[in-house]
Amino acid sequence: MDFTLQHQAVNSQARAGMLETGHGTIETPIFMPVGTAGSVKGIHVKELKDDIQAQIILGNTYHLYLRPGTDIIEEAGGLHKFNGWGGPILTDSGGYQVFSLGDIRKLTEEGAKFQSHIDGSRHLFTPESVIDVQRKIGADIMMAFDECTPGDADYDYAKKSLELTQRWLERCVNQMEKTKPLYGHRQSLFPIVQGAVYTDLREAAAKHVSSIPSDGYAIGGLSVGESEADMYAMIEVVNPILPQNKPRYLMGVGTPINILEAIDRGVDMFDCVMPTRNGRNGMLFTKRGIINMRNKKWANDFSPVDADGTSFVDHHYSKAFLRHLIISNEMLGAQIASQHNLAFYLWLVKEARRQILVDNFKAWKEEMVQQLGKRL
RNA sequence: GGGGAGAUACCAAAGCGGCCAACUGGGGCAGACUGUAAAUCUGCUGUCUUAUGACUUCGUAGGUUCGAAUCCUGCUCUCCCCA
């Protein structure tokens, strides 16, 4: 997997690049829609490609392992074929579930014992098994198995957690070397930087992962309860240490403002459930600010969903109709909102890239941030 | 014509002498959501700009009682069954 750094902004750490995968080239900075169970919730592949113009999507190891099960995906010929997407796929390792399934999971040196959130059955994830599952899923980018340390972890916990993540990383790397891709395309493993909000831990973590040759590097354990100031500070600590000529992926982030701030600090790749989940829950992101579509003031606003938007849905439907759908709990409401939000997120990173290439990123970003935070 | 049941807040529906401004659903209004246990969750929803406060409510008019949405009587209306 080759990454080409095309342009480095002058008064910002922002970069524009190209990441070539076995399923297509990704232009960075990029936002990757999340498709936990193999599908970006509520979005057809056609809309994903043509309307939203997604270049890579996520899947989740834990969720796909539980349902439909690794065997089915292998029998299908990998996730690319199974879900009909065909483009690049990144799979999260289940490290986030170590965090989010706190009550029904137990960590040991060996790995993480989960109880299925579906039927309560017990499963063990190890760095090795997680690599094996991701081989079978066929992800272009596989994530190392980590502990996503909570944002409020104390220093002692964060340190021990980081050390566990580091030992797990070594095991992931070993397992990568022992195994091969199953479907004829290259698979890359991205290590993950942890260390909570502690500068020295983040530094150590960044140095550790940088010592391991990889096609890209991820920053994890952010947007998990810490302040935004801490999040930005940690990005600033980590990015100068990570290899310059490899893509950097900030996991799970974030709001449109978060993304622009992180691009400004040298991040290339993002994923987040916000555009889809918040969309389903009636929130729209636009370049002029945030819309809570359920608010009464939209009830008789027959203007387009987003006059500035790039998506078909932005101009085809009115705010009043979309509000009606969402209030009525109609499936289409969630679909339209998700499609709009994803199209907006992809527009945002595409425009950021364009501004980087014409050396106007910083000024553009400052202006955008003012608008994006507004509530309409 | 005969017999029976019932009228509670925007809707539905509990409550059947004090713990009732009134359970619970729905609806309404607002908020949350960041590598998805989420088409989910949380508030508020009689009036008084704030309230452990005041005031006005449970078809309607009276009555009993220290005290009534709850008991009694009249009236009005609704529904069901048999003709």
Side-chain angles (χ1 to χ4, degrees), chain A residues 150-287:
Chain A
D152 59 359
D154 63 38
Y155 184 85
D156 197 47
Y157 184 94
K159 187 166 191 287
K160 289 195 167 81
S161 169
L162 170 60
E163 288 164 359
L164 180 66
T165 288
Q166 291 174 329
R167 290 193 297 275
W168 283 1
L169 173 60
E170 314 274 351
R171 288 165 59 189
C172 285
V173 170
N174 287 338
Q175 189 68 9
M176 280 296 284
E177 285 167 2
K178 276 194 227 166
T179 56
K180 286 196 165 73
L182 300 176
Y183 312 112
H185 63 268
R186 181 176 169 83
Q187 292 183 282
S188 302
L189 176 71
F190 281 22
I192 302 170
V193 172
Q194 289 291 339
V197 295
Y198 305 104
T199 301
D200 64 315
L201 296 183
R202 286 283 174 181
E203 277 175 6
K207 284 175 186 160
H208 179 254
V209 299
S210 300
S211 72
I212 294 167
S214 296
D215 290 332
Y217 298 86
I219 307 168
L222 291 177
S223 65
V224 284
E226 81 289 356
S227 70
E228 290 200 335
D230 281 340
M231 173 168 75
Y232 297 145
M234 292 305 109
I235 297 169
E236 288 171 16
V237 167
V238 167
N239 271 347
I241 299 171
L242 295 178
Q244 195 72 10
N245 60 341
K246 294 293 167 70
R248 303 157 182 165
Y249 162 33
L250 177 58
M251 306 185 76
V253 174
T255 65
I257 291 174
N258 290 161
I259 288 173
L260 293 187
E261 293 294 355
I263 289 173
D264 192 22
R265 290 165 172 79
V267 175
D268 307 297
M269 303 167 70
F270 302 88
D271 78 283
C272 191
V273 303
M274 268 197 161
T276 41
R277 180 192 287 167
N278 289 29
R280 286 197 302 283
N281 294 333
M283 178 185 283
L284 263 52
F285 298 95
T286 79
K287 62 197 279 189

Side-chain angles (χ1 to χ4, degrees), chain A residues 263-338:
Chain A
I263 289 173
D264 192 22
R265 290 165 172 79
V267 175
D268 307 297
M269 303 167 70
F270 302 88
D271 78 283
C272 191
V273 303
M274 268 197 161
T276 41
R277 180 192 287 167
N278 289 29
R280 286 197 302 283
N281 294 333
M283 178 185 283
L284 263 52
F285 298 95
T286 79
K287 62 197 279 189
R288 293 170 194 275
I290 293 165
I291 296 176
N292 183 345
M293 210 66 239
R294 293 191 315 208
N295 285 175
K296 187 167 192 172
K297 59 184 163 190
W298 310 116
N300 61 348
D301 186 329
F302 302 102
S303 65
V305 167
D306 179 5
D308 305 316
T310 59
S311 172
F312 163 77
V313 300
D314 291 333
H315 305 279
H316 190 75
Y317 298 104
S318 68
K319 292 188 184 76
F321 183 61
L322 177 55
R323 177 179 192 274
H324 158 67
L325 294 176
I326 287 169
I327 292 287
S328 308
N329 219 10
E330 283 288 328
M331 289 186 289
L332 184 59
Q335 290 179 300
I336 292 172
S338 297

Side-chain angles (χ1 to χ4, degrees), chain A residues 86-97:
Chain A
I89 292 175
L90 179 153
T91 43
D92 186 31
S93 61
Y96 186 76
Q97 280 64 46

